[in-house]
Amino acid sequence: MSRSGSTLSGTHGRHLPSLLMLITCSLCACPQASPQRNVLLITVDTLRADFVHAYGFEPANTPSLDALAERGALFENAIAAATVTAPAHASIMTARYAREHSVGTRNGDTRLEGMVTLAELFENAGYDTAAFVSNVVLRRRLGLDRGFQTYDDDLVRGESNRQSHFERIAESTALRAIDWLEKRAGRGFFLWVHLQDPHGPYAPPQSFAGKVGDVALRSERPLPVLETSVGRAGIPDYQALADLRTPAAYAGRYAEEIMYADHWIGKLVEAADRQSGDRGTVALVTGDHGESMGEAGWFFQHGHSTTPDLARVPFILVAPGVERRRYETVVSHVDVAPTLLELAGLPALEQSSGISLARLVKSHDAPADRLVFCDTKGEAAAYHALGFARVGVSSARAPAGAGLPMQFEAQRKNERGEWRPAEIDERTKQRLVRYIASRVPLVAAGVMEPEHIEQLRALGYIPQSDDAAGQQAAPDGDPAQ
Ligand SMILES: [Zn+2]
């Protein structure tokens, strides 16, 4: 993202009365006063797993995430529910896949409606709740603000190449979140912080620029700048940096943005631990989706597919009683809410497409034969621990399943961790088809606010002369977000 920063004035807060209550301890099934841990959820935009040192990236660029992995559980095969921002976060907050919630695969032009959110459950249990977000698509119009007593989406500056695409750097977001934490004396909290920095344009602050240097990609030829935000064999227009042309230089800047975000992740975890004291903190860090680094000719973009460069994200979990360990089990964004609720000592969600990983990280009892799903516009994938199958679907909004022309592709990881074409097993194929057919009707579009319409118009998505813009929607799965 650009180094535009923002002011630190006023958060928007409201405080509801506490409703602390006795609940049943879901891990031991004995009625008792729950420990009710504090909870810190950090989502990092556009963070692919293999650019994190704890997942094998060299040189070491993520000391804070590495330290978290030393304290708890690291999931090697964590799959984003979607490869664009809004549906991925909606899945994190509802434990439902993109085809099961009203945000769908569109990137923020429909609201989240009709489902209980993780924040509402924490608020109902008497927690202080707050969110601090850094990307324009996560503004409160998306509906993720429900249950958050404070929802800080005060984004005042645009990206360097898209002045209407509002965002905020990690320092601005994290300092506000830390300030909120420090006012919670003795109170239980659920805090969600979203950091935007690895999202392009890759322009880390001076103090981090050059700390990683060039990162060799398969292609080393200088790339042209594209005239659009989507396309192969070039640098998308919103990513263009005047002084950079080679893929290695862009990849290095991306790794440095991750290093910068990691610095503030460390500060946030420290502040949460300090505030929690004996109560203990459950902390989970994940990415919303990855980023292509030349795979299939796509550079520095996301949202165009469901392949591992875009789907595979870090997923690191620490909590009292959770030992340091790495897990091969495939996990998903839809597991976030069930896991945090159980580790916090709260009752489970009534409806969930995910599983709580609490049992896995406490007793190492892995679920057998698990598949998880990843969506983007016109494509869905089913992942298991060793590989995936994906299929193009003619439209994310069309009735899916029988009758659609479906082109399946499967890949598996070899011993060296490389992805190679594979046979599609019939069972995975059938489960993927059933998933595509399971989507619920989306809540109607047309919920955009005038401010949003103006932003889309400024970005060129809506013609200046189009008086009916209010009824139009943004392009599906805009990868620039
Ligand atoms: Zn994102």
Side-chain angles (χ1 to χ4, degrees):
M1 66 180 289
S2 59
R3 296 295 106 204
S4 50
S6 77
T7 64
L8 290 175
S9 60
T11 54
H12 314 290
R14 66 188 171 85
H15 296 278
L16 299 178
S18 170
L19 299 169
L20 282 171
M21 57 187 184
L22 295 178
I23 62 164
T24 301
C25 170
S26 53
L27 284 176
C28 60
C30 55
Q32 63 176 48
S34 161
Q36 290 214 322
R37 310 289 187 192
N38 289 334
V39 178
L40 170 64
L41 169 64
I42 300 175
T43 59
V44 185
D45 217 287
T46 319
L47 182 58
R48 59 182 276 170
D50 59 2
F51 268 65
V52 171
H53 182 59
Y55 284 78
F57 183 79
E58 297 289 350
N61 64 332
T62 53
S64 305
L65 288 172
D66 304 346
L68 280 178
E70 287 295 311
R71 282 173 60 181
L74 180 150
F75 293 88
E76 299 274 8
N77 294 300
I79 303 303
T83 62
V84 282
T85 307
H89 280 93
S91 292
I92 287 169
M93 291 298 170
T94 62
R96 305 303 294 271
Y97 288 111
R99 286 171 188 276
E100 300 169 332
H101 58 61
S102 55
V103 174
T105 56
R106 301 173 76 85
N107 195 18
D109 63 322
T110 52
R111 281 177 64 86
L112 183 69
E113 305 276 9
M115 284 182 178
V116 68
T117 67
L118 184 59
E120 288 176 307
L121 294 174
F122 277 113
E123 185 186 39
N124 290 341
Y127 279 66
D128 286 359
T129 57
F132 296 81
V133 301
S134 311
N135 182 328
V136 68
V137 303
L138 297 178
R139 278 188 162 175
R140 64 184 62 223
R141 64 165 184 262
L142 187 63
L144 293 186
D145 59 312
R146 290 205 325 267
F148 285 110
Q149 295 147 8
T150 296
Y151 195 87
D152 183 338
D153 59 354
D154 188 11
L155 315 177
V156 297
R157 298 293 179 88
E159 288 179 9
S160 55
N161 293 326
R162 299 185 299 185
Q163 285 300 312
S164 297
H165 197 97
F166 294 98
E167 61 176 7
R168 182 161 64 179
I169 61 171
E171 179 177 0
S172 301
T173 301
L175 284 177
R176 288 190 180 201
I178 290 168
D179 182 58
W180 180 87
L181 270 176
E182 288 173 346
K183 292 174 181 154
R184 303 274 72 76
R187 296 185 56 79
F189 63 78
F190 169 55
L191 170 63
W192 167 38
V193 180
H194 163 269
L195 301 178
Q196 168 80 345
D197 303 83
H199 191 291
Y202 312 141
Q206 279 300 319
S207 54
F208 286 81
K211 289 215 167 190
V212 173
D214 286 5
V215 174
L217 301 180
R218 217 168 280 167
S219 165
E220 284 308 314
R221 283 178 308 176
L223 294 169
V225 174
L226 304 173
E227 290 182 3
T228 66
S229 60
V230 189
R232 293 180 200 234
I235 298 163
D237 56 359
Y238 76 97
Q239 287 278 19
L241 296 166
D243 56 331
L244 299 187
R245 277 292 179 272
T246 66
Y250 276 85
R253 294 283 184 93
Y254 172 66
E256 288 159 4
E257 287 273 33
I258 293 169
M259 193 175 200
Y260 170 62
D262 179 85
H263 172 79
W264 286 100
I265 290 171
K267 301 279 185 202
L268 286 161
V269 172
E270 271 176 35
D273 281 341
R274 204 165 47 236
Q275 201 63 36
S276 292
D278 293 340
R279 186 180 175 119
T281 307
V282 178
L284 195 157
V285 185
T286 188
D288 63 345
H289 51 75
E291 182 91 317
S292 283
M293 290 284 149
E295 288 85 359
W298 294 93
F299 288 89
F300 321 132
Q301 299 163 58
H302 49 268
H304 50 274
S305 183
T306 55
T307 45
D309 47 325
L310 306 172
R312 194 164 164 257
V313 289
F315 194 113
I316 301 174
L317 173 66
V318 298
V322 173
E323 296 170 4
R324 176 170 73 101
R325 192 168 173 132
R326 288 172 174 260
Y327 294 89
E328 293 289 333
T329 308
V330 68
V331 301
S332 163
H333 282 157
V334 296
D335 302 331
V336 170
T339 301
L340 294 182
L341 288 168
E342 183 163 355
L343 289 174
L346 267 59
L349 281 157
E350 285 184 12
Q351 286 197 313
S352 165
S353 295
I355 60 170
S356 168
L357 303 173
R359 205 166 304 278
L360 174 62
V361 296
K362 297 222 170 186
S363 66
H364 314 308
D365 184 14
D369 194 26
R370 187 158 195 233
L371 277 184
V372 301
F373 300 104
C374 177
D375 276 284
T376 195
K377 179 196 172 191
E379 186 175 311
Y383 276 79
H384 49 81
L386 298 174
F388 68 93
R390 66 183 177 126
V391 62
V393 291
S394 59
S395 165
R397 286 181 177 243
L404 279 179
M406 297 181 124
Q407 299 291 324
F408 287 89
E409 182 217 355
Q411 295 184 30
R412 285 178 87 87
K413 266 188 285 192
N414 64 18
E415 317 77 58
R416 293 198 296 278
E418 300 161 334
W419 292 99
R420 291 286 180 265
E423 291 289 314
I424 300 169
D425 69 272
E426 194 56 31
R427 192 151 173 276
T428 299
K429 187 173 170 179
Q430 289 308 320
R431 285 171 70 180
L432 180 54
V433 170
R434 274 208 307 278
Y435 166 65
I436 292 168
S438 74
R439 59 177 291 281
V440 296
L442 295 176
V443 172
V447 296
M448 289 191 295
E449 294 157 7
E451 172 197 33
H452 186 200
I453 293 166
E454 281 310 309
Q455 287 170 11
L456 294 172
R457 185 172 277 136
L459 289 166
Y461 293 139
I462 297 173
Q464 295 291 340
S465 59
D466 191 342
D467 294 335
Q471 300 308 310
Q472 292 199 356
D476 278 357
D478 171 14
Q481 300 184 346

